[in-house]
Amino acid sequence: MAITEAVENYLETILILSQKQPDVHAIDICSYLGYSRPTVSIILKKMKDEGLVTVDGDNHIRLTDVGKDVAERIYDRHKVLTDFFTYLGVSRDVAAEDACKVEHDISDETFELLRKYYDKIAEEAK
């Protein structure tokens, strides 16, 4: 399984949920993403087979080291892009929506330069 935009979204969702609550279950992912239980179950099985998540006997979903690396990279991009777009004057909700679209497609090179630029202007604004 390639790490597609959809898989990145699932991994990011598991990361976000795990920061808010002690245990993450498939139903939590369904609620967060607005997807049906069968859809989530199919993707979770594939992600488990690929070593991106584990599911224990109590159906607690956890990110593996590989899954966590991907999730943290995507979530970091999401936060930085949201903040940057907000800085430009975009409303917070629209900025978060747009960041979700861009975070998957922007190159590492472009993102790192954007991050450096944003960090510089944010520091100067203090």
Side-chain angles (χ1 to χ4, degrees):
M1 165 190 265
I3 299 183
T4 63
E5 180 177 332
V7 170
E8 288 176 343
N9 280 332
Y10 276 89
L11 294 171
E12 182 181 21
T13 296
I14 295 166
L15 177 68
I16 291 166
L17 291 171
S18 69
Q19 292 172 346
K20 295 179 180 180
Q21 59 196 54
D23 298 311
V24 177
H25 296 91
I27 194 69
D28 301 319
I29 298 168
C30 294
S31 296
Y32 189 88
L33 293 174
Y35 297 157
S36 70
R37 179 67 189 250
T39 300
V40 170
S41 294
I42 290 167
I43 296 296
L44 281 174
K45 181 180 181 334
K46 290 178 182 178
M47 290 189 334
K48 182 180 172 190
D49 292 345
E50 290 295 321
L52 299 171
V53 298
T54 61
V55 182
D56 68 17
D58 293 322
N59 292 316
H60 299 149
I61 301 163
R62 291 189 175 75
L63 297 168
T64 64
D65 289 342
V66 173
K68 188 173 183 181
D69 287 346
V70 173
E72 287 175 341
R73 181 178 63 83
I74 293 299
Y75 190 48
D76 178 54
R77 285 175 172 226
H78 183 87
K79 292 185 296 185
V80 170
L81 290 166
T82 299
D83 289 346
F84 183 70
F85 296 157
T86 303
Y87 171 81
L88 294 175
V90 178
S91 71
R92 191 81 182 164
D93 289 344
V94 172
E97 249 181 66
D98 289 346
C100 196
K101 296 171 189 169
V102 173
E103 67 195 21
H104 305 284
D105 294 325
I106 192 170
S107 71
D108 291 340
E109 178 183 4
T110 300
F111 177 74
E112 286 308 319
L113 289 171
L114 188 141
R115 177 203 297 275
K116 285 179 186 176
Y117 178 74
Y118 177 70
D119 288 348
K120 179 182 172 188
I121 59 175
E123 184 63 33
E124 289 172 359
K126 287 183 180 178

